[in-house]
Amino acid sequence: MSSVVIHDPTLRDGQHAVRHQLGVAALRGYAEAADAAGIPVVEVGHGNGLGASSLQVGRAAVSDDVMLSTVREALRHSKMAVFMLPGWGTSDDLRKAVAHGADVVRVGAHCTETSLAERHLGLLREEGAEAHCVLMMSHMATPAELAEHAARAVGYGARAVGIMDSAGHLLPQDVTDRIGAMAEAVDVPLIFHGHNNLGMAVANSVAAAGAGAAIIDGCARGFGAGAGNTQLEVVVPVLERSGYATGIDLYALLDAAEFAERELMPAPPVTGSLSIVSGLAGVFSGFKHQVLDQSARAGVDPRDVFFELGRRQAVAGQEDLIVDVVAELSARKAAT
């Protein structure tokens, strides 16, 4: 069998679904369960990464320092990972994360703006951390463009590079084309991180592995923004049946998923109407709460907001654009 490394961002990406309110007991409990299952890498943090706790995107229940120290203590075998977006996190945040024992540090960048990650990837190389670069909103770039930016990221110091289907917009052939092009351009492990807006996250993950991805992301019960992420306890056995060894204990994985459903989330994510619309529109699922809140106050249809954001090619970090779109739609409604 070929093998893939499973990377579990339940304690980071899942934060979006609960407005970043996971506390110490939840963090520790899930980290222990994931470690017992043999999940190779467990990622933790605010949903938007290091340094992102703020009024704009939501304050976390506990600080980055507390999150990292709690999970580090709970992991006896698994590596600990963190995520950082330039503009939210800083070089100091990266140094602190490494000091807390982060084994893997992912730097995110919009799919055509890899240069924004150059300084941070260089710093991580100097610090001796395993630096990864993930290209976000990957449906907005062609396979050739993604291959070019993957090569740049490796040149900056990334030891793995990959794509996030941040809006859950891609179909399996789209994933195959993108990962395949990147595999021809770089000789480091490739990453795929899927979202389930159109119900394709598991299929897309298998397609990614078939095209050469060696690192596949998944969250317990799909815990994540909107329709959620690739469902971890589903994708692992599906990958195993497809010929990819993960090294994860199935029963312990299912136990971890049950803990997550019981202790981390009010309910597992579903592919609801608004998630489908955001996937079709190609808009980041993490906008869901802000879109719902702003639309309700203004009395406009949140589906219209998502499609307008898609037309404007809104990306993570442009949450302020939601206010502008809602105001314009409200004005149009009042004028009719």
Side-chain angles (χ1 to χ4, degrees):
M1 296 177 73
S2 302
S3 62
V4 293
V5 174
I6 297 298
H7 184 110
D8 179 358
T10 297
L11 297 179
R12 195 277 303 169
D13 215 339
Q15 292 264 29
H16 287 294
V18 291
R19 299 179 186 258
H20 320 286
Q21 294 304 297
L22 294 182
V24 168
L27 295 167
R28 180 183 296 112
Y30 182 77
E32 290 174 348
D35 189 75
I39 295 172
V41 186
V42 177
E43 184 176 301
V44 61
H46 183 282
N48 292 69
L50 296 172
S53 181
S54 63
L55 290 175
Q56 183 177 4
V57 293
R59 291 200 180 278
V62 296
S63 68
D64 287 350
D65 288 338
V66 171
M67 283 190 266
L68 269 61
S69 61
T70 299
V71 171
R72 179 70 279 167
E73 290 172 5
L75 298 178
R76 298 189 177 189
H77 309 289
S78 304
K79 292 182 178 180
M80 183 174 77
V82 294
F83 176 72
M84 183 268 222
L85 285 169
W88 288 117
T90 65
S91 296
D92 284 343
D93 291 318
L94 291 177
R95 292 189 184 95
K96 287 180 182 179
V98 173
H100 272 293
D103 302 292
V104 177
V105 181
R106 283 185 168 180
V107 179
H110 183 66
C111 57
T112 57
E113 297 177 357
T114 318
S115 60
L116 296 177
E118 179 178 7
R119 177 164 58 91
H120 301 296
L121 290 171
L123 169 66
L124 292 168
R125 181 172 50 194
E126 294 170 4
E127 293 287 330
E130 183 177 336
H132 295 183
C133 183
V134 284
L135 307 178
M136 304 170 67
M137 302 295 284
S138 57
H139 68 281
M140 289 185 170
T142 66
E145 289 171 328
L146 291 170
E148 176 187 346
H149 283 275
R152 291 185 188 179
V154 172
Y156 299 151
R159 292 167 58 185
V161 64
I163 58 174
M164 286 188 170
D165 182 16
S166 311
H169 183 77
L170 299 177
L171 300 178
Q173 189 60 54
D174 301 323
V175 175
T176 296
D177 293 344
R178 284 161 170 76
I179 294 293
M182 294 166 71
E184 293 180 2
V186 300
D187 59 0
V188 300
L190 296 177
I191 303 161
F192 179 73
H193 174 106
H195 283 250
N196 205 40
N197 297 65
L198 300 180
M200 302 303 297
V202 170
N204 284 344
S205 297
V206 175
I215 302 171
I216 301 295
D217 287 11
C219 292
R221 290 291 193 266
F223 193 35
N229 294 52
T230 305
Q231 192 168 342
L232 183 61
E233 68 277 11
V234 176
V235 76
V236 166
V238 169
L239 285 167
E240 295 272 357
R241 285 194 61 186
S242 301
Y244 300 95
T246 66
I248 293 173
D249 181 282
L250 176 61
Y251 281 16
L253 175 64
L254 296 175
D255 290 342
E258 289 174 5
F259 176 92
E261 181 175 353
R262 185 174 66 248
E263 303 293 339
L264 304 188
M265 61 192 81
V270 296
T271 304
S273 299
L274 202 59
S275 298
I276 294 167
V277 169
S278 67
L280 291 172
V283 177
F284 173 50
S285 300
F287 282 9
K288 178 182 176 181
H289 289 309
Q290 292 97 322
V291 168
L292 284 172
D293 292 346
Q294 295 289 335
S295 299
R297 281 196 285 269
V300 300
D301 192 323
R303 296 171 295 186
D304 292 338
V305 176
F306 265 113
F307 278 121
E308 182 60 29
L309 288 169
R311 281 188 282 273
R312 300 189 188 194
Q313 296 192 313
V315 299
Q318 292 183 311
E319 284 81 1
D320 289 348
L321 190 58
I322 297 170
V323 178
D324 295 339
V325 168
V326 167
E328 291 181 19
L329 292 176
S330 179
R332 286 183 213 166
K333 182 179 178 180
T336 59

